[in-house]
Amino acid sequence: MNQKLLYRNSLALLYQKYPEAAAALACGILLCGGWLALHFGGVGVALLLLSAGYCIGGYQSAKEGLATLWEEKELDVDLLMIVAALGAAALGLWQADYFLIIDGAVLILIFAISGALEDIAMQRTDRNIRTLMAVTPDTARAIVGGEEREIAIAQLQIGDIVLVKPGELIPTDGEIVEGKGSVNQAPITGESLPVDKTIGDRVFAGTLNGNGVLRVSVDRAPESSLIQRVIRLVEQAQTDAPPSQEFIEAFERTYAKVIVAVGLLLAWVPPIWFGWSWETTIYRALIFLVVASPCALMASIMPALLSGIANGARQGILFKNGAQLEKIGTVKAVAFDKTGTLTTGDIQVKRIIPASGYSESEVLRLAAALESCSEHPIGEAIASTAKAQSLSWEAATQVQAQTGHGISGEVGDEKIWVGKSSFLRDIVPELPQELCQKSACLESVGQTVVWVAKSGKIIGLISLADTLRPHARPMMKRLKKLGIQQIVMLTGDNQQTANSVARELGIDRFYADLLPEEKLTVIRQLQKQYQTVAMVGDGINDAPALALANIGIAMGGAGSDVALETADIVLMANRLEKLDRAIELGRRANRIIKQNMAFALGFIALLLIANFAGSLNMPLGVMGHEGSTLLVTLSGLRLLKNWD
């Protein structure tokens, strides 16, 4: 009794999880029963079993095929398979050759098995993506009135404090307000090593707190957390068909009509011209319907692209859709923003050089009064340095920033300007010669110089420097090995600074002193020359260039809304070294797609030749057709595997 119950439960579980596999299994059992019945002379029982097998195994294909015919007035391969199977059955009944009905049942069975295997393969791809993302707990330890209380994630509000103990998943995006620990961010960013976090650092839902007790202040609604946004983007990537897939689907509809027309023609021409019997002609025409169907061709693209998307997500590379995975495999030129992309973005004040009669602290204090109102990395570095030196300043008023130039405002009764030398020349016609020489010297070694003026007079300059990403130079060499024809750097910094960085990294060309809109002009020029151009930036001030480029790649997607919304691809961990992996992933995907399509078309041609040579029966034709479909599907899944 227990064994029977276990058996029924197993079948129910199989049907619930894999309904197409359950239908294929039932069809196979009925087919075997019908074949045995025919061998032992039970024609009536055999026909009953085979009819049930036709209905169960072919139900899904018939349903989808008829729905397409009814709703879209189009033929598809599912309906062609059903027509071929029913044709074989009708021919078998007509000739009283009941083993032809077996041939049709084999067609139904193998088609059902193929559909089941493809469904399992797609579920595996989906599972690989989901296991990367769906790692958030259902509840959180909220601190309410000084007491710990376990509540549902959906009930968390912005400003709530949640407690995260060692070994627990962080339930929501937020900022650490107490404690420190080592957090494993691999599910979000692909980083192989845990990251040390302390007060003021951001943490993300779905990451694992390795040690230390953390108190985290919720700073966004749970449904807007980074991991939920990534899940939505991945789901969109699975449903958005790339151009190649859309072309194949459109081709398939026309191709199906051609197959039907040729099949009908084959049913009439050979008996008249070649003297074939009607039975032979119809049988060959039915086999033609099977082997000429483009199932393998249809399966050549999406499994490979979905596998590539899953592989990338596992490594912290987020492709928004399959089209971007295809495109990045064809990229010929790459343009990089400098600050925050080729460099760490951690800008620090190196020197403060006051003009005669002024002190370093006065220059820094007045510059900080204005720059504290700016969100630019240079402004933040100046303000941070002033705070570190315990300087205080009066709040600036009438502050106006000119993107790419500088900032101006009033501090007390004094008018203050901070920015590039070109910005200050409109205020002070002649810059002090001594400071100009020092500025040129600092810029020649890659430092950025900011000039400070008060009441129309230069009072000093501040030099700042960023550090290059350690993987930037090796990355340029790897890009060249991948066949990238042109590597370009775009920056708003001056010529000397840009030249120093470009020379150190081995970049082909650079464009300096660029405003955001001027970067668009460079991207357009590159597109005319190289067709497919990728732009790599920080996703904020480079948003227009990211949007214009054929492929926009954002650094630092973790927490950046603009990066997730604007870019086509996001390097989730600020890891520049993942760029060549993304390009190689795209190129491997394109190679696999081309291999699959060549194999599919070649195999169709081979089966057609064998059919008209008279050496192919229905079961072998079905096995060849569905086997090739399964092979290209499995071939596409090769991209799930990492490579060295």
Side-chain angles (χ1 to χ4, degrees), residues 175-474:
E175 181 178 311
I176 297 176
V177 294
E178 183 180 322
K180 59 182 179 178
S182 181
V183 178
N184 181 0
Q185 299 189 139
I188 296 292
T189 64
E191 293 170 286
S192 57
L193 297 176
V195 180
D196 291 334
K197 299 281 187 177
T198 187
I199 295 174
D201 290 337
R202 293 211 69 217
V203 291
F204 305 100
T207 56
L208 181 66
N209 179 26
N211 55 58
V213 177
L214 305 177
R215 288 178 182 256
V216 178
S217 175
V218 179
D219 62 2
R220 71 176 60 189
E223 65 272 13
S224 300
S225 67
L226 175 64
I227 197 167
Q228 294 300 325
R229 286 180 287 149
V230 169
I231 289 173
R232 287 194 290 271
L233 289 172
V234 171
E235 288 174 341
Q236 178 184 339
Q238 290 180 282
T239 56
D240 289 351
S244 59
Q245 182 69 15
E246 291 177 349
F247 170 78
I248 289 294
E249 289 175 357
F251 169 78
E252 181 241 352
R253 290 168 184 158
T254 303
Y255 187 72
K257 295 174 184 176
V258 171
I259 289 174
V260 172
V262 174
L264 292 173
L265 189 65
L266 288 173
W268 290 95
V269 173
I272 299 172
W273 287 9
F274 303 114
W276 287 6
S277 68
W278 285 106
E279 292 83 358
T280 301
T281 301
I282 293 172
Y283 189 62
R284 291 294 158 203
L286 291 174
I287 295 176
F288 171 81
L289 286 180
V290 174
V291 300
S293 297
C295 295
L297 195 61
M298 293 290 295
S300 298
I301 298 174
M302 286 310 292
L305 294 182
L306 290 177
S307 299
I309 291 171
N311 189 320
R314 190 162 57 234
Q315 301 181 66
I317 306 167
L318 177 61
F319 294 94
K320 282 195 174 181
N321 56 51
Q324 310 311 330
L325 179 58
E326 275 189 305
K327 280 185 183 179
I328 198 171
T330 63
V331 70
K332 297 178 181 177
V334 181
F336 290 92
D337 172 51
K338 181 180 78 69
T339 304
T341 303
L342 296 175
T343 63
T344 62
D346 184 18
I347 299 176
Q348 297 179 344
V349 172
K350 296 297 183 181
R351 292 191 62 185
I352 303 171
I353 303 176
S356 178
Y358 297 92
S359 65
E360 291 185 13
S361 59
E362 184 177 5
V363 172
L364 181 60
R365 179 178 58 81
L366 291 174
L370 265 64
E371 295 289 8
S372 61
C373 302
S374 170
E375 294 182 355
H376 194 281
I378 287 178
E380 292 177 355
I382 290 174
S384 296
T385 302
K387 290 177 182 177
Q389 295 184 12
S390 300
L391 296 179
S392 59
W393 55 82
E394 185 178 345
T397 59
Q398 305 296 321
V399 177
Q400 293 183 338
Q402 294 188 25
T403 304
H405 293 288
I407 190 170
S408 63
E410 295 181 5
V411 179
D413 297 330
E414 303 283 353
K415 182 74 173 178
I416 308 297
W417 294 265
V418 182
K420 294 181 177 180
S421 57
S422 58
F423 179 59
L424 270 296
R425 279 196 172 94
D426 295 335
I427 311 303
V428 184
E430 290 190 18
L431 301 179
Q433 189 63 32
E434 181 181 357
L435 291 182
C436 286
Q437 292 175 354
K438 291 181 179 180
S439 174
C441 182
L442 293 170
E443 289 174 345
S444 67
V445 294
Q447 295 188 24
T448 298
V449 175
V450 173
W451 293 73
V452 184
K454 180 176 73 171
S455 300
K457 185 176 181 181
I458 298 295
I459 65 171
L461 54 83
I462 301 172
S463 74
L464 305 98
D466 198 354
T467 55
L468 295 176
R469 291 187 181 274
H471 298 285
R473 185 172 179 80

Side-chain angles (χ1 to χ4, degrees), residues 333-347 376-378 403-404 420 466-469 472 475-476 479 487-494 497-498 501-502 505 507 509-520 522-523 526 533-546 549 551-556 571 574 576 579:
V334 181
F336 290 92
D337 172 51
K338 181 180 78 69
T339 304
T341 303
L342 296 175
T343 63
T344 62
D346 184 18
I347 299 176
H376 194 281
I378 287 178
T403 304
K420 294 181 177 180
D466 198 354
T467 55
L468 295 176
R469 291 187 181 274
M475 169 59 61
M476 301 305 159
L479 291 179
I487 300 175
V488 178
M489 182 178 72
L490 312 179
T491 180
D493 280 344
N494 57 64
T497 301
V501 173
L505 295 181
I507 290 174
R509 280 191 288 169
F510 68 88
Y511 296 84
D513 293 311
L514 293 179
L515 298 175
E517 59 268 23
E518 291 173 334
K519 292 182 179 182
L520 302 181
V522 178
I523 295 295
L526 291 171
V533 177
M535 171 68 191
V536 188
D538 62 11
I540 300 174
N541 59 341
D542 294 306
L546 289 172
I551 304 290
I553 304 171
M555 294 286 294
L571 305 181
N574 262 341
L576 189 64
L579 177 60

